Amino acid sequence: MEIKNVAVLGSGTMGQGIAEVFAIYGYNVKMEDISDEILNKALKKIKESLVKLEQKGQLFGKTSDEVMSRISTYTTIENAVKDADLVIEAVPENLDLKKKIFAEVEKFAKRETIIASNTSNIRITDIAKDLKYKDRVAGLHFFNPPVLMKLVEVIKAEDTSEEVMEILVDVVKKIGKYPLKVMKDTPGFVVNRINAPESLLFCLYIDHKVATQEEIDAYFKSQGLPMGPYELMDYVGIDVVYDSLEYFAKTLNPCYGKCNTIKELYNNKMLGMKTGKGFYDWSKGRPFIDVKKATDKVSMMDVLALEINEAVKLIEQGIATPEDIENGVKYGMNRPYGPISVAKSFTSMEIKSKLEELASKFNCDVFEPAESIKNGLLRDAIEGRLKVKGVEEKKVKEEAKVKEEKVLSAQQFNTIKVEKYESKVAKIILNRPKYNLISGELLDELEKAIKYLWNDPEVNVIIITGEGNVLSAGADLNEFVGSSFQFLENSRKGERVFQLLSEMPKLTIAVMKGYALGGGFELSLACDLRVGTEDVQIGFPEITLGLVPGWGGSQRLSRIVGLGKAMELIVTGQRITGKEAYSMGILNKLYKNPDEEVMEFAKSIAQNSAPVAVAMAKRLLNKGSQVPIDVGLEMESFAMGVLFSTEDLKEGIMSFLQKKKPEFKGR
Ligand SMILES: NC(=O)c1ccc[n+]([C@@H]2O[C@H](COP(=O)([O-])OP(=O)(O)OC[C@H]3O[C@@H](n4cnc5c(N)ncnc54)[C@H](O)[C@@H]3O)[C@@H](O)[C@H]2O)c1
């Protein structure tokens, strides 16, 4: 069916915007409301908006009068819908009112007319509950203001037919918008559901007196948000926030009903900007928020973790795809990024521990981590590899294999392997199972591999890992024979090779798994970054053998964890777990399957960070930490001077301006 005639019921903020969009794109629009007075006001506003668009040349060569002539107004539903192909309801957010309107539309519309609601949160299935023909009812959720916002959520209720979904997705594309397919009906759909837990958190911050609204708003504004959360709630309307939270309390989780401050404001009719008072006094205009008052008792990480968590829950429940969730948040909230791309910088463990902290601090299970996050499957969830009920089942392992990087070339030494991948990542794999003990031969071969990769333009990042489940349990004690002099030479060889590794102009990442003891730990410390499992055993047992950590171990550890902690670990020979190492800053990331998960991390640096700048940054940090600050600053200026003449800098700046992905050449 081709949509030509559209009826819009309700001509308020959203109705008038929706009518305007359809008229701009050539549809005949019938707009309906309870009085001519209201309709005339709406027509006036539409005209004003069209004139502005016309002046900016955004009406595709049409005049505002031409567009206006496509909109007619009505005060009865019967006249508005009788020849409509599509009806969009945009009356106030009240289930009973919407049900009443839908029943009336069913009475007067043609059988094939599609009936859609622009509700913000109410399940479409509940609105359609008493209708005779439910297959033609769906959600069409526009964002405010509809003329500017690119997103429309297309919601499939329990009985909506596939054909109706296809027609609606098509019509949304025809009016120049992005259709986010909400494949299962849920309160708040996608974007408002992603927002719901953080709204709750903001209320609980105040209820629990974590800080004042000014201090919290100041913090979030200092983080780049255009409005603080409380200023925004006042702007949207405390009644709108209260109604949403109450609805989510009834339909999603009773915890949403816990917000005392919002309840109090609502009961005292302090509804924000519209009544002149809410969290702030608006009687003299927009409140001034002094960013100098920013508190450090709240954190952006709280909000990011909640958004990622809700996004994962939506994916697990088969409500939307990761791609649609990412684009939905970008287009629906006018942001440069969505929760899926943000999630790529975190491990399941990082998100899980933040969520558990919030859930226990506020005694609120809305903040509990999603199953996939609990089970270390964050990456599988955001990359669409979860088995989702009702959605085509994808086998996690098979998909992971398909996504595996293509090996460009591989070199087999006696004790190590070197693999180069298409993505400008290389792996050096210690290959002396079962413990990958570090022998003199392994050090010689590692030196060759480092020299072989040193200037390779096809490699930007090098991962150092071990064959099997262990990085390395240490030096091969079978070689602890011979004279003191031979032992000294052996020690120097390790120092030389590890120093070479730390100085190479490529970023190196060690994968700490199973054991990273003695030489294995020393090797990891010579790398620039370290990732690993929660349970990897890490330590310097040398002291218990009558030795001190060699191969740079006695020097590098204190530069990472500080003198006190390094002293403790070295003189006790104590082993720590990956989890402890992560909290001490030894590990940069915790992974469940580090060899698989580290590839994404390495790939993102190999492809998004300019290679010459990475090499410079590495030298600046490593050498800069050993010299007085004025010398370090001189090195920094020198590095800037060198980087200024690189092709990569030009590529980076041009790509940023043209909003495209840079292709760095390493020169
Ligand atoms: N305002 C937003 O930012 C926004 C964004 C997305 C979705 N929504 C949703 O869109 C819907 C409308 O919101 P709004 O902000 O446009 O509200 P609004 O109050 O600005 O407009 C509602 C309009 O409906 C009219 N109306 C009331 N009863 C009616 C009836 N029986 N028949 C016909 N018209 C009737 C009112 O006179 C008013 O003009 C709500 O469900 C809301 O949740 C709002």
Side-chain angles (χ1 to χ4, degrees):
M1 183 182 64
E2 197 192 344
I3 307 281
K4 286 188 182 145
N5 301 318
V6 179
V8 179
L9 312 181
S11 67
T13 311
M14 294 308 288
Q16 53 185 256
I18 296 168
E20 183 182 347
V21 171
F22 276 97
I24 291 174
Y25 283 87
Y27 293 82
N28 302 315
V29 182
K30 292 187 172 178
M31 190 168 68
E32 187 265 355
D33 209 302
I34 47 176
S35 77
D36 280 323
E37 197 193 338
I38 296 175
L39 285 163
N40 288 336
K41 269 193 198 153
L43 284 177
K44 195 167 161 254
K45 286 212 172 142
I46 296 175
K47 174 75 182 166
E48 283 166 11
S49 160
L50 286 172
V51 169
K52 276 191 202 150
L53 293 175
E54 191 179 358
Q55 284 163 354
K56 288 190 208 153
Q58 290 172 355
L59 281 188
F60 314 112
K62 294 169 206 145
T63 64
S64 55
D65 286 339
E66 230 176 303
V67 177
M68 282 306 285
S69 71
R70 295 206 191 98
I71 306 175
S72 51
T73 57
Y74 299 83
T75 50
T76 65
I77 288 184
E78 179 179 0
N79 288 336
V81 307
K82 66 181 176 208
D83 57 358
D85 305 311
L86 168 63
V87 176
I88 304 170
E89 164 276 310
V91 303
E93 188 78 346
N94 175 311
L95 176 59
D96 290 337
L97 174 63
K98 287 186 191 283
K99 279 175 79 175
K100 192 173 136 255
I101 301 253
F102 270 61
E104 214 172 321
V105 175
E106 183 164 72
K107 235 197 287 173
F108 298 113
K110 300 176 284 181
R111 167 64 182 99
E112 62 272 24
T113 303
I114 297 175
I115 316 175
S117 175
N118 181 54
T119 171
S120 303
N121 295 323
I122 303 174
R123 285 177 82 238
I124 308 297
T125 312
D126 296 339
I127 300 175
K129 187 167 161 274
D130 302 326
L131 297 183
K132 198 163 159 201
Y133 305 116
K134 301 186 180 71
D135 57 330
R136 51 148 164 198
V137 180
L140 214 46
H141 181 207
F142 287 75
F143 287 71
N144 190 14
V147 181
L148 298 181
M149 299 297 281
K150 203 178 161 193
L151 181 69
V152 180
E153 291 182 330
V154 183
I155 301 132
K156 187 175 186 316
E158 276 169 23
D159 297 300
T160 315
S161 72
E162 282 301 336
E163 193 197 340
V164 164
M165 285 298 285
E166 273 171 34
I167 296 172
L168 289 178
V169 165
D170 186 50
V171 88
V172 168
K173 287 184 190 159
K174 284 187 175 144
I175 56 169
K177 310 279 179 201
Y178 180 91
L180 186 172
K181 270 170 90 174
V182 182
M183 299 178 288
K184 280 186 192 166
D185 206 358
T186 177
F189 317 119
V190 170
V191 175
N192 287 348
R193 248 195 77 177
I194 300 259
N195 265 323
E198 68 201 54
S199 301
L200 173 60
L201 177 73
F202 295 139
C203 299
L204 294 176
Y205 277 158
I206 297 292
D207 284 2
H208 286 244
K209 298 192 173 23
V210 171
T212 67
Q213 65 241 27
E214 288 95 342
E215 289 166 338
I216 300 173
D217 272 351
Y219 167 77
F220 282 102
K221 285 187 83 152
S222 73
Q223 296 295 302
L225 296 194
M227 267 191 175
Y230 306 100
E231 191 187 5
L232 185 64
M233 285 192 225
D234 269 1
Y235 180 78
V236 169
I238 297 296
D239 49 342
V240 175
V241 178
Y242 174 77
D243 285 344
S244 299
L245 289 169
E246 286 294 294
Y247 180 65
F248 292 145
K250 267 190 259 151
T251 54
L252 287 175
N253 188 316
C255 222
Y256 281 105
K258 274 183 165 186
C259 308
N260 295 328
T261 314
I262 286 278
K263 236 179 248 170
E264 236 176 87
L265 291 173
Y266 178 81
N267 289 336
N268 292 326
K269 304 220 169 2
M270 292 167 68
L271 305 184
M273 188 174 74
K274 63 177 106 170
T275 58
K277 224 170 181 188
F279 280 105
Y280 293 99
D281 184 356
W282 290 72
S283 57
K284 293 188 191 79
R286 191 173 166 180
F288 170 71
I289 290 153
D290 182 359
V291 288
K292 287 203 247 25
K293 288 191 181 155
T295 176
D296 61 358
K297 301 216 172 75
V298 299
S299 129
M300 194 56 134
M301 187 59 204
D302 295 356
V303 173
L304 296 179
L306 290 181
E307 287 191 1
I308 292 168
N309 195 32
E310 206 60 21
V312 170
K313 286 181 186 171
L314 289 168
I315 296 167
E316 285 174 348
Q317 291 161 17
I319 290 167
T321 61
E323 188 190 354
D324 265 357
I325 293 174
E326 174 76 5
N327 289 329
V329 171
K330 263 164 61 179
Y331 300 142
M333 293 164 73
N334 247 340
R335 285 211 202 138
Y337 56 83
I340 305 297
S341 52
V342 173
K344 287 185 181 153
S345 312
F346 296 101
T347 61
S348 297
M349 191 56 63
E350 285 164 315
I351 300 296
K352 177 172 169 264
S353 58
K354 175 44 83 186
L355 292 167
E356 283 171 350
E357 178 200 317
L358 291 173
S360 105
K361 183 167 173 188
F362 296 106
N363 185 24
C364 174
D365 54 10
V366 169
F367 306 151
E368 287 289 351
E371 278 308 304
S372 317
I373 294 177
K374 273 192 216 159
N375 297 330
L377 294 173
L378 173 61
R379 203 143 300 269
D380 290 306
I382 61 174
E383 288 176 3
R385 293 198 300 269
L386 283 188
K387 286 185 183 177
V388 174
K389 272 190 208 140
V391 176
E392 186 194 349
E393 292 211 342
K394 293 177 179 172
K395 291 190 189 94
V396 173
K397 284 287 167 201
E398 278 176 17
E399 272 274 310
K401 272 198 187 119
V402 173
K403 287 207 153 204
E404 245 171 42
E405 294 299 305
K406 215 168 142 196
V407 179
L408 269 184
S409 67
Q411 282 213 35
Q412 180 92 31
F413 294 75
N414 257 342
T415 60
I416 61 170
K417 289 190 280 187
V418 178
E419 291 174 356
K420 273 169 47 178
Y421 295 83
E422 235 176 14
S423 52
K424 299 213 162 192
V425 175
K427 269 189 186 177
I428 298 179
I429 305 161
L430 311 191
N431 190 21
R432 295 191 74 209
K434 145 182 178 193
Y435 293 113
N436 297 321
L437 297 178
I438 300 176
S439 60
E441 185 186 11
L442 190 147
L443 286 173
D444 289 335
E445 292 185 347
L446 184 57
E447 186 172 7
K448 277 187 205 148
I450 294 168
K451 288 180 176 164
Y452 160 69
L453 295 172
W454 192 278
N455 274 326
D456 190 332
E458 287 175 335
V459 174
N460 291 348
V461 176
I462 297 163
I463 295 168
I464 302 210
T465 184
E467 186 62 38
N469 295 325
V470 171
L471 172 64
S472 168
D476 191 342
L477 294 186
N478 291 322
E479 296 190 347
F480 277 52
V481 286
S483 65
S484 288
F485 181 71
Q486 279 171 323
F487 194 65
L488 173 81
E489 278 308 300
N490 193 18
S491 170
R492 282 204 172 135
K493 186 199 283 186
E495 276 167 12
R496 189 184 67 239
V497 176
F498 287 4
Q499 184 64 5
L500 206 59
L501 181 63
S502 84
E503 292 198 335
M504 74 183 304
K506 312 275 178 190
L507 192 94
T508 53
I509 308 175
V511 175
M512 300 173 81
K513 55 183 182 175
Y515 298 106
L517 299 171
F521 190 15
E522 283 141 16
L523 172 63
S524 314
L525 294 172
C527 289
D528 304 311
L529 298 171
R530 286 155 293 278
V531 302
T533 57
E534 255 194 11
D535 57 1
V536 52
Q537 298 279 308
I538 300 171
F540 280 141
E542 284 87 341
I543 210 93
T544 60
L545 303 173
L547 285 169
V548 290
W551 299 345
S554 71
Q555 302 303 303
R556 292 197 178 93
L557 181 61
S558 61
R559 290 184 160 89
I560 297 169
V561 298
L563 210 50
K565 215 58 209 166
M567 187 71 80
E568 181 188 332
L569 290 182
I570 288 172
V571 301
T572 60
Q574 168 204 348
R575 286 186 191 184
I576 55 170
T577 62
K579 202 172 172 185
E580 289 165 288
Y582 176 71
S583 70
M584 290 159 74
I586 295 172
L587 278 174
N588 296 83
K589 291 195 180 289
L590 284 177
Y591 290 139
K592 202 160 187 237
N593 302 306
D595 281 312
E596 278 173 31
E597 291 174 65
V598 72
M599 272 315 268
E600 271 308 305
F601 183 41
K603 223 168 90 179
S604 84
I605 301 172
Q607 291 174 2
N608 301 329
S609 306
V612 185
V614 169
M616 283 288 188
K618 179 171 166 169
R619 285 193 85 77
L620 270 179
L621 283 154
N622 286 340
K623 301 283 177 199
S625 62
Q626 296 168 42
V627 296
I629 181 111
D630 53 338
V631 179
L633 292 175
E634 195 55 37
M635 286 161 56
E636 187 184 83
S637 303
F638 182 70
M640 289 291 189
V642 171
L643 291 172
F644 189 73
S645 62
T646 59
E647 282 177 37
D648 282 357
L649 178 76
K650 288 186 199 97
E651 171 68 12
I653 290 177
M654 287 313 288
S655 305
F656 176 76
L657 294 175
Q658 293 165 6
K659 296 192 171 63
K660 69 173 182 67
K661 208 173 151 116
E663 279 178 34
F664 294 118
K665 303 249 163 33
R667 26 180 213 253

